[in-house]
Amino acid sequence: MTSPIRLVEFPADDPARARAFWTGVLGVDLGDRAEEEGQGWQTHGDGAALGVHPRGTGPGDRVSLPYFAVGDMDAALERVRALGGEVIHPGARWSVCRDSEGSPFGLALG
């Protein structure tokens, strides 16, 4: 089974410092994101991506978030609610949620 982890995202107060940190620790290239990927930088290639973006005020801008791939966003959001989780920010391609214990996570279509 392939891992459902699609992206692990880190907000940064100093994006240049954060990029240097993750590049140095993991030896990865954090390239500019394509428009459909949002603001910031991320790895590109096979497997799960690592992303960094400037910290903001939105629900996904305060803490690091793992994003999990889902095939049907609407159905996944229904399952989150039915299983005791919370949908914080629904979206067509990306959504931010909390699990039954209050931990934040994201869902990504694809």
Side-chain angles (χ1 to χ4, degrees):
M1 178 179 186
T2 304
S3 172
I5 298 172
R6 172 122 180 240
L7 168 71
V8 177
E9 180 81 16
F10 290 92
D13 295 319
D14 183 335
R17 180 178 63 203
R19 287 177 69 196
F21 176 85
W22 288 111
T23 297
V25 168
L26 299 177
V28 296
D29 179 39
L30 291 166
D32 291 338
R33 285 186 163 153
E35 185 176 333
E36 66 273 7
E37 293 172 327
Q39 286 188 321
W41 308 267
Q42 75 180 47
T43 58
H44 293 94
D46 295 334
L50 170 70
V52 172
H53 69 275
R55 189 181 311 273
T57 59
D61 291 334
R62 296 184 188 122
V63 295
S64 60
L65 289 176
Y67 281 82
F68 300 97
V70 296
D72 181 327
M73 185 63 73
D74 291 334
L77 294 178
E78 286 180 31
R79 287 192 303 273
V80 166
R81 290 181 187 106
L83 294 168
E86 178 185 1
V87 177
I88 300 168
H89 179 76
R93 290 180 45 98
W94 304 90
S95 296
V96 177
C97 305
R98 284 192 186 106
D99 70 7
S100 60
E101 309 312 303
S103 297
F105 67 95
L107 299 175
L109 191 60

